[in-house]
Amino acid sequence: MTQAVFNFCAGPAMLPASVMKQAQAEMLDWQGQGVSVMEMSHRSKPYMQMAAEAEQDLRDLMAIPSNYKVLFLHGGGRGQFAGIPLNLSRSADSADYLLSGQWSRGALAEGEKYLHCKVAGEPNLIDGKVALPPQSALNINPDAAYFHYCPNETIEGVEFSYIPDAGHVPVVADMSSTILSQPLDVSRFGVIYAGAQKNIGPSGLSVVIVREDLIGNARQETPSILDYGLAVKHDSMYNTPPTYAWYLAGLVFKWLKSNGGLTEMAKVNRAKADTLYRFIDGSDFYRNNVDDNCRSKMNVPFQLADDNLDSKFLELSDAAGLKALKGHRIVGGMRASIYNAMPLSGVQALVDFMADFEKKFG
Ligand SMILES: *Cc1c(COP(=O)(O)O)cnc(C)c1O
């Protein structure tokens, strides 16, 4: 028997095994069509049906209110770094950006090309650990065109435990690495967007959930493929959508539905994160540098007591079937990304390996 492999890659990340098997089984002949779903027109009846069903499944999963549109667009997460200012502001406007790590910084840098961006808050240190600002520390400008933040920073492994309140200013959230990981009150947001390759499906697709009153005001120079109004008018098929990614996302949504939806995901994700953090906190050999209240349930960075052992750790974990644990260079050390598709048994295997490694080298 080949050994089990658990893939901890931050993105593109692992997908549920049953989804991959179904995709494999129908790769060459989708729904008796005699061709692959990736070889057929996005305007054909079976494809359009599948696409509409995927949207409905996502609406059901997230309980998306009827005054929100769901768009399936190109360009991943970063595409929306430009899409947001172009659709939601004029160049004379200003917008608030809450900084929490690399991705929100990236969004700010892109936003600055299009309008004046103000920093609404930044992380600080509590007892030497990275902490996110509480609502009371946020500097929100009531005249801002929008308020942008990243609920879960994939690189630093920090996650907001609350949804910021920006009054009547629309809250825009980059949920690339946290969407679908737990139930969410969508009505608190103006726009939610996510690159697909962490918790939705393959890369290339971005899902945008946008409140209706924010649609139809794109700047004149907005590239057509980023224009929410055009996307709505054409059911996300103004140009050829990333058809295969959309199809796979649809399979993932069905997998989520048949596994208890987001309530069940939240339970499993909580159990996975608790297992890993508890082990790290109980060890003198491993550490995590994030304040307890801001720890990510999706991305867990950790460091070894001696970073000279990093390469040994990576070599041996890889050989043990625990893949892609190398941390982002900004943070150093390791990072275990444990999105929806990662089973608890994968986290348990990682913890067992870590205990064993500590015994040998600690
Ligand atoms: C991965 C990621 C992105 C970037 O997505 P791309 O599809 O590569 O543009 C943006 N934001 C967050 C939070 C991410 O995790």
Side-chain angles (χ1 to χ4, degrees), residues 131-252:
L132 295 169
Q135 170 80 42
S136 58
L138 302 184
N139 210 338
I140 292 168
N141 163 20
D143 296 324
Y146 58 89
F147 169 91
H148 181 283
Y149 86 117
C150 179
N152 182 77
E153 287 279 3
T154 322
I155 292 174
E156 291 82 357
V158 297
E159 179 175 346
F160 282 89
S161 61
Y162 69 98
I163 300 172
D165 182 352
H168 67 273
V169 175
V171 174
V172 175
D174 173 4
M175 295 209 179
S176 296
S177 54
T178 185
I179 192 165
L180 298 171
S181 66
Q182 58 191 1
L184 183 76
D185 181 358
V186 173
S187 73
R188 301 279 304 274
F189 297 88
V191 186
I192 291 168
Y193 66 92
Q197 67 270 24
K198 279 89 184 214
N199 236 354
I200 295 177
S203 62
L205 171 72
S206 56
V207 170
V208 180
I209 301 166
V210 51
R211 213 174 59 211
E212 273 169 355
D213 61 288
L214 300 171
I215 299 169
N217 309 309
R219 293 189 201 180
Q220 196 270 332
E221 68 270 26
T222 305
S224 297
I225 61 163
L226 285 177
D227 183 328
Y228 299 162
L230 272 179
V232 167
K233 192 167 155 213
H234 295 271
D235 291 326
S236 299
M237 295 188 187
Y238 175 72
N239 72 328
T240 313
T243 56
Y244 196 72
W246 191 333
Y247 150 81
L248 259 181
L251 295 187
V252 170

